[in-house]
Amino acid sequence: MIAYNQPLYRPPAEANSIIIQVTLGCSFNKCSFCSMYETKKFQIRTLEDIFLDIDKLSNYKDTRRVFLADGDALACETSFLIEVLKYLKLKFPKLQRVSSYASPFNLLEKKQEELNLLRECGLSLVYYGIESGNADLLKYVNKSIKLEKMILGLNKATKAKMKISATVILGLGGKNLSNEHIIQTAKLINECEHINYLSTLQLGLNSTKEDAFFKRFESKNSQFIFCSDKDMLEEQKNFISLLNPKKPIIFRSNHASNALPLKGTLPKDKNLLLELINMALENETLLRPHFLRAF
Ligand code: SF4
């Protein structure tokens, strides 16, 4: 076994994957809603240490999936990541999928040729936090980037033939910015060439982050008012009704933060999903109890 540097996070879909920490923490680590890596100072581990971890796990010869942690392994130099990917292929002959988180900034920084190379060497899926398509809201939460830039980065990954699993945070703009948040986020997704998987989370703040989170809104002359479950469902409803992607998207809201777990393929299942939301809006007993939720 290897001694992971804690806390360690991975997407729910990587529950059965081998996890290799290529970096520690997040190279950005400034988003006001996120406390995942607040206790870690970002660093890139040495190839020697990474290879040692791979060696320790290499007796799992049937390994098909590897997730590269922590927050954004894509912040590493391309040549460095290629060394890691090659070594993984060598040690796990049945490897089919390598994935990692990718921040909007990572995808923008990589050239198309670099992403192509990474894909050729095995990086086939990136997890990407869209959070919102609304540039003002992204400024308020200190993850400032324009919609056009996110589309550019995401389309580069698609062009490299990587799959994209993206997340959106319901309630991120509170009640006051709900409409802008949803309209711009749907627009972003509709304009992308292909988001393969899309999930929604519901905003939940760690108590250590709350004050700083609210203050950023106030500094922009806005007031943050938490969305109720009903508001979140209305956002979900608006969001899904506005989604008309260029290619089918596998949609999920099964993250533990969600009041209403949903799954389907968009746009095919749009009406069904909207019907389920309407039912939940009329009957709150269909919602996941609060004690079973976590962000
Ligand atoms: S949301 Fe992503 S980019 Fe922002 S601090 Fe958290 S891990 Fe880093």
Side-chain angles (χ1 to χ4, degrees):
M1 282 307 290
I2 57 179
Y4 289 110
N5 181 293
Q6 300 289 345
L8 177 72
Y9 296 96
R10 50 127 184 101
E14 303 292 338
N16 298 317
S17 306
I18 276 197
I19 301 180
I20 299 292
Q21 280 180 307
V22 170
T23 55
L24 304 179
C26 161
S27 69
F28 186 63
N29 213 15
K30 291 182 196 146
C31 305
S32 65
F33 57 87
C34 173
S35 47
M36 284 166 77
Y37 302 108
E38 63 184 354
T39 56
K40 288 190 181 186
K41 189 171 172 337
F42 178 74
Q43 51 180 295
I44 296 173
R45 297 181 72 216
T46 64
L47 267 186
E48 197 186 6
D49 286 348
I50 296 168
F51 286 3
L52 262 179
D53 282 354
I54 297 173
D55 287 341
K56 283 184 196 159
L57 295 167
S58 62
N59 50 336
Y60 295 100
K61 289 284 173 213
D62 286 340
T63 296
R64 286 178 164 77
R65 292 182 174 189
V66 171
F67 176 72
L68 304 179
D70 273 345
D72 58 340
L74 229 61
C76 301
E77 291 288 335
T78 299
S79 54
F80 180 92
L81 285 172
I82 286 175
E83 291 302 312
V84 176
L85 291 165
K86 283 184 177 163
Y87 200 66
L88 285 171
K89 241 184 205 167
L90 187 73
K91 294 291 172 170
F92 301 115
K94 295 186 181 170
L95 193 60
Q96 290 175 347
R97 177 174 108 181
V98 184
S99 58
S100 79
Y101 288 125
S103 78
F105 315 109
N106 299 152
L107 285 187
L108 276 181
E109 276 157 18
K110 294 275 183 235
K111 294 196 187 102
Q112 184 66 55
E113 302 72 47
E114 293 180 281
L115 292 176
N116 295 349
L117 258 178
L118 289 168
R119 175 64 190 93
E120 276 166 32
C121 292
L123 185 69
S124 53
L125 171 66
V126 287
Y127 293 92
Y128 183 103
I130 291 174
E131 332 302 7
S132 175
N134 183 263
D136 288 334
L137 173 52
L138 287 174
K139 251 190 239 165
Y140 292 7
V141 298
N142 211 16
K143 194 175 185 179
S144 192
I145 184 163
K146 292 212 166 99
L147 170 145
E148 296 76 18
K149 297 266 185 192
M150 280 204 271
I151 295 173
L152 187 74
L154 287 162
N155 284 349
K156 274 191 335 195
T158 300
K159 199 168 173 200
K161 299 194 167 46
M162 288 177 182
K163 286 190 174 172
I164 297 165
S165 178
T167 48
V168 165
I169 304 180
L170 297 176
L172 188 64
K175 278 172 94 90
N176 288 341
L177 293 175
S178 182
N179 272 343
E180 297 91 318
H181 170 38
I182 291 306
I183 291 169
Q184 290 296 104
T185 307
K187 178 176 157 67
L188 182 153
I189 289 159
N190 291 341
E191 289 186 13
C192 280
E193 287 309 320
H194 195 197
I195 304 278
N196 304 78
Y197 309 98
L198 175 66
S199 13
T200 52
L201 320 175
Q202 281 190 200
L203 179 71
L205 291 174
N206 183 322
S207 56
T208 60
K209 304 293 282 190
E210 274 186 7
D211 282 353
F213 179 86
F214 296 140
K215 271 194 188 125
R216 281 196 65 84
F217 275 81
E218 284 158 18
S219 71
K220 312 279 179 198
N221 290 325
S222 183
Q223 193 199 1
F224 185 85
I225 304 170
F226 262 113
C227 289
S228 64
D229 276 348
K230 189 169 174 291
D231 300 328
M232 298 273 190
L233 288 176
E234 291 290 355
E235 276 203 352
Q236 184 77 284
K237 191 170 143 184
N238 292 343
F239 182 49
I240 291 175
S241 63
L242 289 170
L243 286 177
N244 291 303
K246 293 183 184 178
K247 291 188 179 163
I249 293 178
I250 295 175
F251 176 81
R252 297 277 183 274
S253 69
N254 54 359
H255 182 270
S257 61
N258 288 287
L260 181 67
L262 294 168
K263 59 179 179 178
T265 302
L266 291 168
K268 181 173 72 74
D269 298 327
K270 187 189 274 200
N271 289 342
L272 175 71
L273 296 174
L274 293 175
E275 238 173 74
L276 290 171
I277 299 170
N278 281 333
M279 279 165 63
L281 278 166
E282 281 167 22
N283 180 0
E284 282 195 10
T285 62
L286 295 175
L287 301 184
R288 180 184 271 146
H290 279 275
F291 70 91
L292 291 178
R293 299 191 210 167
F295 186 62

